[in-house]
Amino acid sequence: MPEHTDADGYSKVGPGPMVAIRLKWTVHRGDDGQYYVHETIGEQSAPVVSGPMTSEAAVRFVDAQQDEANKRFELLRSEIAGRSSLADYERKGEA
């Protein structure tokens, strides 16, 4: 089965309002013909590299990492919203 080369450069960005702490995953094809996923936080961080893997596995890895980051972000956001609502309710109760 031939190796797909279209995974090189495949990239996704995680959720969040601040670019400085936003996760990014990018697939790079190594000199060995294998694929590696570079995970960075913000613009200037050194990448954490996962691999080697096939092109298909690298794309699945990027998709899974982004999916997990989105789930965690939504959970955190709803937790913060819940605390905010509870604080508003408690303040109104004291008035």
Side-chain angles (χ1 to χ4, degrees):
M1 183 164 143
E3 195 71 19
H4 296 287
T5 58
D6 58 340
D8 189 33
Y10 183 77
S11 184
K12 288 201 171 178
V13 177
M18 297 174 60
V19 173
I21 60 171
R22 195 168 296 142
L23 293 164
K24 182 178 183 180
W25 303 273
T26 305
V27 176
H28 295 280
R29 185 175 182 158
D31 293 337
D32 59 1
Q34 294 291 308
Y35 292 83
Y36 298 84
V37 175
H38 292 211
E39 179 178 29
T40 55
I41 300 172
E43 301 284 321
Q44 304 300 322
S45 71
V48 173
V49 181
S50 299
M53 57 187 90
T54 65
S55 62
E56 293 87 357
V59 168
R60 284 194 305 271
F61 183 84
V62 168
D63 290 345
Q65 292 296 101
Q66 186 200 36
D67 187 49
E68 181 64 24
N70 284 333
K71 287 178 184 174
R72 288 178 180 221
F73 182 74
E74 288 305 317
L75 183 63
L76 179 61
R77 192 163 67 169
S78 74
E79 186 177 312
I80 290 169
R83 288 181 182 171
S84 176
S85 297
L86 182 59
D88 289 345
Y89 177 77
E90 289 173 348
R91 266 184 262 140
K92 288 177 185 171
E94 292 175 356

